[in-house]
Each structure stands twice: as structure tokens, then as C-alpha cells.
Amino acid sequence: MAAFGHTFPFYPGPKPTFSMDTTLAIIITIFLTALVTFIIILPGIRGKMRLFWLLRVVTSLFIGAVILAVNFSSEWSVGQVSTNTSYKAFSSQWISADVGLQLGLGGVNITLTGTPVQQLNETINYNEEFTWRLGETYAEEYARALEKGLPDPVLYLAEKFAPNSPCGLHGQYRLAGHYTSAILWVAFLCWLLANVMLSMPALIYGGHMLLATGIFQLLGLLFFSIATSPTQPCPLRLGSAVLQTRLGPAFWITLTTGVLCVLLSLAMAVAHRMQPHRLKAFFNQSVGENPGLKWNPEEGGLLSPRYRSTAESPQSQDISLSEASSETCCKEEHPRVPDCAL
């Protein structure tokens, strides 16, 4: 019956797999393009400012890319097990396979890879995603998976996260994903504001927004870890093995980035208090060497007034009241005489 190159004519062929999520690939490509662009213009910067500028750009792009990428990542909670399990429903045939489970903020990703891949005259290599983001229904995707006749391990794990499952995993992870994603979007907006303020003479406020960026990331992690308790109400049994989940790479890289933002903001606050000149020089906002001009550590830059020093002020020209009145009288009595002597 396989008339078209060992492919059944009335069934869809295997879906092409990509080693990385396309959304993550797009985000990484955008930030890498921005980094390459900044590196190209790097030779136009002179002296030590070249190193300082490169360090600021790399750190800022890294923080923004992490916040945006983990929001679409499916590796907040991961698990994998090697087992012997049934392949299809109502069948006595068993396979040896690696079953993987990735839980993200927007859904579940289930992988099934045979060991070896070729078993039962088929290629066992499945990568299925079931989402619960806004505007998408998990129950409909699970119904389509049943119609497609996916392997039994994939359907078993997908059923555990269905809305009508007695395990309650759907509501638990869906609630955690929605609120954690919203908190991370707030952190991304704080990162944008921090970049805007650090490019102006408002360094202390840029440090405050960088602190807010780190705090919102840590709050998102705290909510996710509390909402998704490590003890699962239902064991995920696949054949003779039990699939256990743990916190994934997306969780730990978000924790690292959040702590980095907090430490950088605290370092900026200390430098603004102790060495404001060096902080301004690091951000290429130095006012030059002027001994008559002193900067107040409480100064906010563009948002606070800057007073001129005595060296910049013009010489005082005190005019007595009698001289001023006499000059006014002369101008009124003799409008055409240029000089009027008393």
C-alpha cells in the first residue's frame, strides 16, 4: 500500500522537526544582529570608553534577551525517562523509548524518541506541543491529537494536563504561566526604561529601574515556584518507570539574570554615592576637570537644576540707586545726547 516512497497516501507524513523553537530562534537572531551592529561601530570610539561602551552594550542586550526568551521558553520545568511502554492504544506491541516532558509558561511539550529510532517498521520520533495561552484551547488540541492517533505515551501525558483531568495540573500550571508571564513583561518594560534613563544624565534613576527589573524577575520566579509545587498530585507512570520533573534551564537563567540586575543596581547606587565622577565617566557623561565645579552626590542629573560656579558667573556690577535714577533722568531730559554728565 505504500505507493509513494513508503508513505501511505491518505495519511500525513512526519512533521519536520527543528532543534530549537522558532520564536526563540527569532529572538536570539534579533539580539545577535543588534550586538553585531554595535561591534561594527566599536572602532569609532576612542580610548578607554571603547571597553566601557562594549561592556554596557553586551550586559544590556544579555538581560533583555533573557527576559524576552524565557517568556516563550518551554523549559521552566523538565523531565525525561527511558522506559519500555506500549506504542499504540489497544495494541500489545511495546517499544523502548526516551520520553521527555517540558513545561513552559504557555503550554506543554512532549517528546517521544525510540531507542533505536527505527522500531516496528516505523520511525519513532515525535515532538508535540499543547498550549494554553490566551486565545488557544488545550482541550481542542488534545482532541485533534486523539484524531491523529498519536502514540500512547504522548496521549497519556497530554491527558494528565487536560482541563477535565482529576490531577488538576492544568489549572495549576496554566495559572502559574499566565501570572509569571505578565510579571516578566513588566520586567521587560523596566529594562527598556532603564536603558533610556542610562543614556541620559539620569543615572541614579536608571539604576532604580534596573533594580526594578531584577525584582520583578525574582517575583515571577517566586510565584512560579509556589504555584507549581514540587510534589505532583498524580504520578506520571510510563510502563515500569515514573517520570519526575524538576526546575529547568529557563528558571535558573532567569534567577541568574535577576540577581545580576539587583547587584548591578546596588553597585551603581554605591558608586553614585561614593564616586559620582567615575560613574559618569563610565557612562561617558563626565563633565571634565574643573576644580571650581563640584557635583552634589544627591544630584539627579537632567531632572535637577545645575548651578553655575563662581568662576562661570559674570563679575558683579553693583549700581547704586542714585546713579540709576540720575541716568534715567538724563535719558528723559536729553534723549538725543549720547553722554550725560552730572
Side-chain angles (χ1 to χ4, degrees), residues 106-187:
V108 183
N109 194 76
I110 303 171
T111 59
L112 177 66
T113 305
T115 53
V117 178
Q118 296 292 336
Q119 297 184 48
L120 304 178
N121 296 326
E122 293 187 26
T123 301
I124 303 175
N125 187 11
Y126 292 87
N127 188 350
E128 303 294 332
E129 184 180 16
F130 303 88
T131 59
W132 51 57
R133 291 188 182 273
L134 296 177
E136 299 178 359
T137 306
Y138 187 95
E140 294 181 357
E141 295 186 1
Y142 177 69
R144 288 194 295 267
L146 290 174
E147 295 176 357
K148 290 168 58 178
L150 293 179
D152 189 51
V154 177
L155 295 177
Y156 171 78
L157 293 178
E159 183 184 7
K160 291 296 183 180
F161 292 91
N164 55 355
S165 175
C167 296
L169 296 176
H170 178 83
Q172 180 181 355
Y173 281 93
R174 183 174 179 270
L175 182 67
H178 283 344
Y179 283 97
T180 305
S181 178
I183 294 174
L184 288 179
W185 279 117
V186 176

Side-chain angles (χ1 to χ4, degrees), residues 70-93:
V70 297
N71 212 333
F72 297 94
S73 175
S74 60
E75 295 186 352
W76 281 78
S77 183
V78 298
Q80 187 173 0
V81 66
S82 299
T83 182
N84 295 322
T85 180
S86 60
Y87 182 53
K88 294 287 185 179
F90 309 106
S91 175
S92 59
Q93 293 178 331

Side-chain angles (χ1 to χ4, degrees), residues 241-256:
V242 178
L243 180 62
Q244 299 288 343
T245 59
R246 65 186 184 278
L247 296 176
F251 182 92
W252 297 114
I253 194 173
T254 306
L255 177 61
T256 304

Side-chain angles (χ1 to χ4, degrees), residues 248-270:
F251 182 92
W252 297 114
I253 194 173
T254 306
L255 177 61
T256 304
T257 308
V259 174
L260 176 63
C261 291
V262 173
L263 293 179
L264 289 177
S265 62
L266 294 179
M268 287 185 60
V270 173

Side-chain angles (χ1 to χ4, degrees), residues 19-291:
S19 57
M20 182 182 295
D21 188 6
T22 54
T23 305
L24 294 180
I26 293 174
I27 294 173
I28 294 175
T29 302
I30 292 175
F31 278 90
L32 285 180
T33 304
L35 178 61
V36 171
T37 303
F38 285 120
I39 292 177
I40 291 175
I41 65 177
L42 187 63
I45 304 175
R46 299 179 179 178
K48 263 193 240 182
M49 297 311 303
R50 179 183 304 173
L51 179 60
F52 295 160
W53 189 82
L54 179 62
L55 183 60
R56 297 198 312 265
V57 168
V58 172
T59 305
S60 179
L61 289 179
F62 171 76
I63 295 173
V66 168
I67 297 175
L68 201 58
V70 297
N71 212 333
F72 297 94
S73 175
S74 60
E75 295 186 352
W76 281 78
S77 183
V78 298
Q80 187 173 0
V81 66
S82 299
T83 182
N84 295 322
T85 180
S86 60
Y87 182 53
K88 294 287 185 179
F90 309 106
S91 175
S92 59
Q93 293 178 331
W94 283 52
I95 60 171
S96 176
D98 294 332
V99 183
L101 177 66
Q102 294 87 30
L103 297 167
L105 303 181
V108 183
N109 194 76
I110 303 171
T111 59
L112 177 66
T113 305
T115 53
V117 178
Q118 296 292 336
Q119 297 184 48
L120 304 178
N121 296 326
E122 293 187 26
T123 301
I124 303 175
N125 187 11
Y126 292 87
N127 188 350
E128 303 294 332
E129 184 180 16
F130 303 88
T131 59
W132 51 57
R133 291 188 182 273
L134 296 177
E136 299 178 359
T137 306
Y138 187 95
E140 294 181 357
E141 295 186 1
Y142 177 69
R144 288 194 295 267
L146 290 174
E147 295 176 357
K148 290 168 58 178
L150 293 179
D152 189 51
V154 177
L155 295 177
Y156 171 78
L157 293 178
E159 183 184 7
K160 291 296 183 180
F161 292 91
N164 55 355
S165 175
C167 296
L169 296 176
H170 178 83
Q172 180 181 355
Y173 281 93
R174 183 174 179 270
L175 182 67
H178 283 344
Y179 283 97
T180 305
S181 178
I183 294 174
L184 288 179
W185 279 117
V186 176
F188 184 74
L189 294 178
C190 293
W191 172 77
L192 291 177
L193 291 176
N195 282 277
V196 172
M197 292 182 179
L198 291 177
S199 63
M200 302 187 304
L203 300 180
I204 188 62
Y205 301 107
H208 293 166
M209 296 309 302
L210 190 61
L211 177 62
T213 302
I215 290 177
F216 277 113
Q217 290 182 77
L218 298 179
L219 286 178
L221 296 178
L222 180 63
F223 185 85
F224 183 83
S225 58
I226 293 176
T228 58
S229 59
T231 57
Q232 295 181 355
C234 297
L236 304 177
R237 298 187 179 276
L238 295 166
S240 58
V242 178
L243 180 62
Q244 299 288 343
T245 59
R246 65 186 184 278
L247 296 176
F251 182 92
W252 297 114
I253 194 173
T254 306
L255 177 61
T256 304
T257 308
V259 174
L260 176 63
C261 291
V262 173
L263 293 179
L264 289 177
S265 62
L266 294 179
M268 287 185 60
V270 173
H272 187 269
R273 175 69 61 177
M274 304 298 295
Q275 299 288 339
H277 288 286
R278 293 187 178 182
L279 181 63
K280 293 178 183 294
F282 181 79
F283 284 92
N284 197 17
Q285 297 180 10
S286 178
V287 295
E289 298 295 335
N290 190 352

